[in-house]
Amino acid sequence: ILTGSHQHQWQGSIRNKHWVHAAATTDEIEAVSSMRAGEIKKELESYGISTAAFLEKSELVEALVDARAKGLKPKQQPQ
């Protein structure tokens, strides 16, 4: 359902067999979609999310939009 500039939808992950509710602006989805796959992977990995199971760029985009919607922050690197 589109509400103003926000798109609210249920997104399902067949691989993980669970449903995740994600609310993101269409601008956010477009911004992530325009990124290179390598950039998306790097950001996801900075949140501690493995990208090994993602086969399609659309899966990477969905995961990053979801991570940002959840407010995830990059993990601290040991010093």
Side-chain angles (χ1 to χ4, degrees), residues 5 16 18-19 22 24 27-28 30 32 36 38-39 46 50 74 77:
S5 65
N16 296 325
H18 70 278
W19 291 90
D27 289 342
E28 179 76 11
E30 288 176 12
V32 174
R36 292 179 167 273
E39 294 172 309
S46 78
S50 172
Q77 295 295 324

Side-chain angles (χ1 to χ4, degrees), residues 2-36:
L2 290 177
T3 310
S5 65
H6 289 85
Q7 180 181 17
H8 299 276
Q9 60 186 359
W10 285 97
Q11 297 177 341
S13 173
I14 294 170
R15 183 169 302 138
N16 296 325
K17 295 188 174 138
H18 70 278
W19 291 90
V20 177
H21 180 261
T25 64
T26 53
D27 289 342
E28 179 76 11
I29 295 167
E30 288 176 12
V32 174
S33 294
S34 71
M35 294 170 66
R36 292 179 167 273

Side-chain angles (χ1 to χ4, degrees), residues 42 45-48 74-79:
K42 185 175 180 179
E45 289 167 355
S46 78
Y47 300 143
K75 304 284 183 194
Q76 289 290 92
Q77 295 295 324
Q79 295 186 17

Side-chain angles (χ1 to χ4, degrees), residues 16 40-54 59-60 62-68 70 72-75:
N16 296 325
I40 298 171
K41 285 181 180 182
K42 185 175 180 179
E43 186 171 337
L44 285 168
E45 289 167 355
S46 78
Y47 300 143
I49 299 171
S50 172
T51 61
F54 298 118
E59 295 172 307
L60 293 168
E62 180 180 335
L64 183 52
V65 168
D66 188 50
R68 288 180 176 180
K70 290 178 180 176
L72 294 182
K73 303 290 181 206
K75 304 284 183 194

